[in-house]
Amino acid sequence: MSEESERWRKRYEREKRARNEAEALLEDKSAALYHTNQELRSLAQELEERVRARTEEVLTESAKFRALFEKSRDGMVIHDLEGEILDVNQSMCRLLGVEKDRLCGRAVTKFLSPELGQEALNEWEAARASRYAELETVFRRADGSDFPVELSLVTVKTAEGRHVQTVVRDITQRRQYEKSIWLSEQAMREAKEEAERANQAKSRFLANMSHEIRTPMNGIIGVAELLQASDLSPEQADLVDTVLMSGEALLDIINDILDISKIEAERFELERTPCSVKNFVERAIGSVVSVASKKRLELACLIDPEVPEYIVGDSGRIRQVISNLLVNAVKFTFEGEVYLRVKLDDARKSLNIIVRDTGIGISDEDQARLFQSFTQVDASTTRHFGGTGLGLAICRKLARMMDGEVSVTSVKGEGSEFCFTLPCIEAEGPRDESLQPSVKLKGLRAFLVDDNATNRKVVSSQCRHLGIAVECFGEGESVLAWLTSSKPTLDFGIVDMQMPLMDGVMLADRIHGLEAYAKLPLVLATSLGNALEVRKTGGGSLFASQMFKPILLHHLEASVAEAMKAATDPTGVPSMGEEETSSDDVSHWRVLIAEDNPINLKVAQKFVRKLGCEHEIARDGCEVLDALGDGESRFDVILMDVQMPVMDGLEATKKILQRWPDPLQRPAIIALTANALKGDRERFLAAGMDGYLSKPLRLANIRRAFHDVLGSHPKEDA
């Protein structure tokens, strides 16, 4: 083959290869273009779907917004930033009483009440200029009536620009409700103020009535007590006793009414101070000793050894509740016993004060209304028992005010048991050694004879607490037989006075008739009335000491100690018939009585003379100051009536304190008042007085008040 042919062949092959490569490239590019075209078509379809879906979503949201806009119960307004209305809903049209086409294009401010003035326009402009705002204003309807509205403004961005959407809510009903609430609160405030004024008037009335009633009561009870101590025939003594008991009953009624009135008026305040359990129990039970003795009832009391010496509470009010329960128990018991026990509950968190009697009992039906005010179990016209029906109601109210309770269990005809429960918060106080076992009595051996099982239980428990081994008997013949047959070694014996077949005096005489026990010290357990009978019959010489029922632990310890001392030193202990002289003798005191009421003055004079004191009188505060003079006071104590003409007792006390700043250089001042309201005692003591006596006056209370001020105003013997 020629060279030319070879050249053309090669050229052909090159062109063929180039053409094949171009075709292959074209094919590849065509395929890529096809795929790209397919992708573009797919994207276009997807975009169309998205646009369609978004359009449908926007249309749906727009429809929803429009539906909400139109159907909203609140008026809705869309306006531009200048306040020109672009759209409103039907509720807005109804609120204003204007058609929609007459609202669009008008300014919102055109519908503000003209009565508002420029300040309202300024508030609107400030709200419109902010992105979000709320305000309350007043719109005016087409009929000229005004109504309060609450506006909520929100600035939103739309295709047409920035617009403001305002929600308009009619708050007429809310304003009316707020006004009614305000009127109600105002009425309540006025009613509260009126009630407070009424309570203040009631308190003043109670204070005045207390003063007016207690003033004559002071004369009645005071004179009756003085007569009682004078030489009277049996008939006269009985009449005086009747007057005294009637006066005390009336005084109890007055006190009950004052207490229930103060509790219901919520003016009753309780103290929270350390108080001695022994003291409030003793004082409570002392209020019924005399009556129980006259009714020949056994009165027993036991304070369990684990009971704290001091608890936190109001001693006076605790004693009041216990006294009321005891008085009721004695009142409704004709034979048998009344038993008071103080113990801790199982958890040692509560103090249980239990009063049990063997009286008439209470039915289940009557128990349901037992604690209601002015309600009595027997309210018939033929009832046997008097009273106001306030006592137990006051007890329960007081107990609940002290976070406690008063409950009752009873069986008709078998007796009752009242339980007064108090929180037991132990407190610190002066240690009472009488509640601690005495070392000198520990290990002694004794016998106890008492026909009452409760008394035997109480006294034997107390003896064991003191470390005394005791053998108990229920009647005299048994103890005599035991002494004769067993001939036990004994240190002393305890003999009850009032026993059937053989009383305490007869038994003591027979015991001392036994040669082995001729000098055995005997302790007589008796009531006040029986003690007098013992002295009259000369039986006192048979006993080394005596103790009065109900027997408390420290009474027992003191009596046993006295008996043991008499056994070792008979000359050092006075016999039962001898009177002991108090170391706190006030017979040499000089007393100034400041009292303007002639009856009260006479009673006070009689009592002071009874105490053996010298006295002078003053009828107002000025006379008190004149009697005292400017130099050294010649009086030891002033009985100062609080309410006196010219100058009252408080003002006179103030001037006395200014004249003699040193309490040891001036007379002790004891307030006399016929008021008995809470705070009186504190008010008088805060004014500088040293003591307090509430009328009606009693001899024992005056003597106690004199002794109370003796420590702060020591006197030299005359």
Side-chain angles (χ1 to χ4, degrees):
M1 183 176 292
S2 63
E3 291 180 0
E4 185 66 22
S5 298
E6 184 64 23
R7 193 169 52 251
W8 279 107
R9 185 183 63 80
K10 290 180 180 180
R11 182 179 179 182
Y12 171 77
E13 288 179 355
R14 287 195 301 272
E15 289 178 353
K16 183 178 179 180
R17 283 195 301 272
R19 187 172 56 251
N20 290 339
E21 289 175 359
E23 288 177 354
L25 180 60
L26 179 62
E27 186 177 351
D28 290 341
K29 293 296 183 180
S30 297
L33 183 61
Y34 174 79
H35 287 303
T36 301
N37 186 46
Q38 290 296 109
E39 288 177 358
L40 288 174
R41 283 184 178 180
S42 178
L43 288 173
Q45 289 177 354
E46 184 179 350
L47 183 58
E48 286 178 1
E49 289 295 328
R50 288 182 179 180
V51 169
R52 184 167 53 253
R54 181 58 181 163
T55 301
E56 290 177 357
E57 184 179 339
V58 169
L59 291 175
T60 301
E61 292 297 327
S62 178
K64 287 181 180 179
F65 171 77
R66 195 67 198 179
L68 291 172
F69 182 80
E70 290 296 342
K71 294 182 180 301
S72 173
R73 296 179 62 183
D74 294 328
M76 301 189 74
V77 181
I78 297 176
H79 56 86
D80 60 21
L81 296 179
E82 302 302 321
E84 182 180 335
I85 297 175
L86 303 175
D87 197 3
V88 296
N89 66 356
Q90 289 300 315
S91 295
M92 191 66 203
C93 294
R94 285 193 298 271
L95 285 176
L96 295 175
V98 181
E99 295 296 330
K100 182 174 182 178
D101 56 358
R102 294 179 57 193
L103 288 174
C104 294
R106 299 179 67 181
V108 176
T109 54
K110 295 294 183 181
F111 299 99
L112 292 174
S113 174
E115 306 294 334
L116 295 176
Q118 187 60 41
E119 185 178 351
L121 290 173
N122 294 339
E123 289 181 356
W124 163 258
E125 293 297 334
R128 184 174 58 81
S130 61
R131 295 185 61 184
Y132 176 80
E134 288 185 350
L135 75 153
E136 292 184 4
T137 186
V138 180
F139 275 8
R140 174 159 290 184
R141 298 186 181 92
D143 61 7
S145 61
D146 292 344
F147 64 102
V149 293
E150 180 185 70
L151 305 181
S152 299
L153 294 82
V154 179
T155 302
V156 295
K157 188 176 181 180
T158 66
E160 292 81 13
R162 297 175 69 85
H163 291 161
V164 179
Q165 178 179 307
T166 301
V167 178
V168 182
R169 175 168 295 172
D170 185 354
I171 57 174
T172 301
Q173 290 185 347
R174 191 174 80 187
R175 287 284 179 85
Q176 291 174 346
Y177 176 73
E178 289 173 351
K179 183 178 180 181
S180 67
I181 292 294
W182 182 86
L183 291 173
S184 298
E185 290 176 348
Q186 181 68 15
M188 289 176 62
R189 282 193 295 269
E190 292 175 355
K192 181 182 177 182
E193 290 172 0
E194 181 64 26
E196 289 175 350
R197 287 193 294 270
N199 276 337
Q200 290 172 359
K202 181 178 180 181
S203 296
R204 288 193 297 269
F205 172 77
L206 288 173
N208 291 336
M209 287 304 298
S210 172
H211 182 273
E212 295 302 321
I213 295 174
R214 285 172 180 271
T215 296
M217 285 300 300
N218 181 50
I220 294 171
I221 294 179
V223 171
E225 187 173 353
L226 290 167
L227 281 173
Q228 193 179 44
S230 62
D231 188 14
L232 300 174
S233 67
E235 183 180 0
Q236 290 171 330
D238 182 62
L239 293 174
V240 170
D241 288 345
T242 302
V243 171
L244 192 57
M245 285 189 294
S246 299
E248 290 173 341
L250 180 57
L251 190 62
D252 289 340
I253 293 172
I254 295 170
N255 290 334
D256 283 348
I257 294 174
L258 283 172
D259 280 345
I260 200 71
S261 299
K262 288 184 286 186
I263 292 172
E264 291 178 351
E266 297 183 352
R267 297 179 64 90
F268 204 98
E269 298 179 4
L270 293 172
E271 296 179 353
R272 288 185 60 80
T273 57
C275 50
S276 167
V277 174
K278 183 196 77 171
N279 286 351
F280 64 64
V281 168
E282 271 192 334
R283 294 185 65 184
I285 208 163
S287 64
V288 297
V289 168
S290 178
V291 179
S293 176
K294 290 178 181 178
K295 296 181 73 171
R296 303 183 75 81
L297 298 176
E298 289 289 350
L299 196 57
C301 175
L302 176 62
I303 303 175
D304 284 7
E306 62 268 19
V307 172
E309 290 184 35
Y310 290 86
I311 63 170
V312 175
D314 190 322
S315 178
R317 295 306 173 183
I318 296 174
R319 174 173 55 83
Q320 181 178 351
V321 175
I322 302 173
S323 296
N324 208 307
L325 297 179
L326 287 169
V327 166
N328 277 348
V330 172
K331 179 178 180 180
F332 295 102
T333 302
F334 297 103
E335 60 180 1
E337 67 182 32
V338 173
Y339 176 39
L340 170 65
R341 184 180 180 187
V342 184
K343 66 174 186 175
L344 294 176
D345 67 349
D346 294 338
R348 302 180 66 86
K349 293 182 178 180
S350 296
L351 192 67
N352 293 339
I353 302 169
I354 300 167
V355 177
R356 189 185 70 211
D357 64 63
T358 56
I360 61 175
I362 309 166
S363 66
D364 292 341
E365 179 183 356
D366 290 331
Q367 289 179 38
R369 54 191 178 92
L370 190 62
F371 296 97
Q372 297 175 10
S373 298
F374 303 103
T375 300
Q376 292 181 312
V377 170
D378 180 11
S380 66
T381 56
T382 58
R383 62 194 178 103
H384 296 285
F385 308 99
T388 60
L390 286 174
L392 289 176
I394 293 172
C395 285
R396 173 164 280 184
K397 289 178 185 291
L398 286 175
R400 289 178 175 177
M401 289 175 69
M402 293 183 279
D403 298 325
E405 186 57 271
V406 174
S407 58
V408 61
T409 55
S410 181
V411 177
K412 186 75 172 178
E414 296 183 12
S416 305
E417 180 176 295
F418 285 83
C419 182
F420 173 27
T421 303
L422 276 175
C424 184
I425 305 173
E426 191 167 355
E428 293 293 330
R431 186 174 179 82
D432 192 340
E433 297 299 333
S434 68
L435 297 180
Q436 308 305 318
S438 174
V439 176
K440 62 184 177 183
L441 301 184
K442 188 175 183 179
L444 295 182
R445 295 153 297 179
F447 70 84
L448 164 66
V449 55
D450 195 314
D451 63 308
N452 183 273
T454 301
N455 280 337
R456 293 199 300 272
K457 175 182 176 182
V458 169
V459 178
S460 61
S461 173
Q462 293 168 339
C463 284
R464 286 193 295 273
H465 181 68
L466 293 172
I468 300 172
V470 63
E471 192 77 22
C472 297
F473 300 91
E475 44 89 25
E477 290 295 346
S478 298
V479 71
L480 288 172
W482 176 67
L483 292 174
T484 304
S485 60
S486 300
K487 294 182 173 56
T489 301
L490 297 170
D491 297 296
F492 69 95
I494 302 173
V495 178
D496 181 34
M497 175 59 193
Q498 185 179 327
M499 294 185 293
L501 302 179
M502 185 186 303
D503 64 23
V505 173
M506 296 170 59
L507 177 59
D509 187 53
R510 292 187 59 180
I511 290 174
H512 285 163
L514 300 174
E515 183 178 355
Y517 303 103
K519 294 184 179 181
L520 180 69
L522 297 179
V523 178
L524 177 66
T526 182
S527 65
L528 288 171
N530 287 331
L532 296 176
E533 291 299 320
V534 171
R535 287 178 178 172
K536 289 179 181 178
T537 58
S541 60
L542 297 170
F543 300 96
S545 66
Q546 67 176 334
M547 50 188 177
F548 296 118
K549 296 181 180 180
I551 300 167
L552 297 179
L553 180 63
H554 63 287
H555 295 160
L556 174 65
E557 183 176 16
S559 297
V560 172
E562 183 180 348
M564 298 310 298
K565 184 177 181 181
T568 57
D569 182 16
T571 62
V573 179
S575 68
M576 282 178 52
E578 298 176 359
E579 298 290 340
E580 295 186 40
T581 302
S582 171
S583 61
D584 295 338
D585 184 21
V586 298
S587 61
H588 60 282
W589 278 27
R590 293 152 297 182
V591 181
L592 177 60
I593 305 173
E595 173 65 72
D596 64 303
N597 184 281
I599 296 177
N600 290 341
L601 179 59
K602 183 184 294 185
V603 171
Q605 286 180 285
K606 294 284 187 182
F607 281 145
V608 169
R609 289 196 192 104
K610 198 80 173 175
L611 293 174
C613 301
E614 297 179 7
H615 73 277
E616 293 184 21
I617 63 173
R619 290 177 172 80
D620 58 56
C622 291
E623 292 188 12
V624 170
L625 297 176
D626 291 341
L628 293 176
D630 296 324
E632 183 179 353
S633 174
R634 54 196 176 87
F635 296 102
D636 300 305
V637 65
I638 304 173
L639 293 177
M640 181 81 78
D641 186 28
V642 175
Q643 292 186 349
M644 293 185 293
V646 185
M647 181 187 294
D648 64 28
L650 293 175
E651 183 64 23
T653 298
K654 180 180 178 181
K655 293 186 180 298
I656 292 171
L657 295 179
Q658 292 172 350
R659 188 175 297 181
W660 290 283
D662 185 354
L664 298 180
Q665 300 301 318
R666 64 168 174 83
I669 304 173
I670 298 175
L672 302 181
T673 179
N675 293 339
L677 298 181
K678 179 69 177 178
D680 283 343
R681 180 178 183 276
E682 292 76 10
R683 182 162 58 93
F684 301 147
L685 295 181
M689 294 181 170
D690 304 289
Y692 168 88
L693 283 172
S694 177
K695 298 174 184 176
L697 300 179
R698 306 299 294 268
L699 182 62
N701 293 342
I702 295 176
R703 181 185 288 111
R704 187 181 301 114
F706 280 7
H707 289 165
D708 288 344
V709 301
L710 187 66
S712 58
H713 290 76
K715 307 298 174 186
E716 297 179 358
D717 292 339

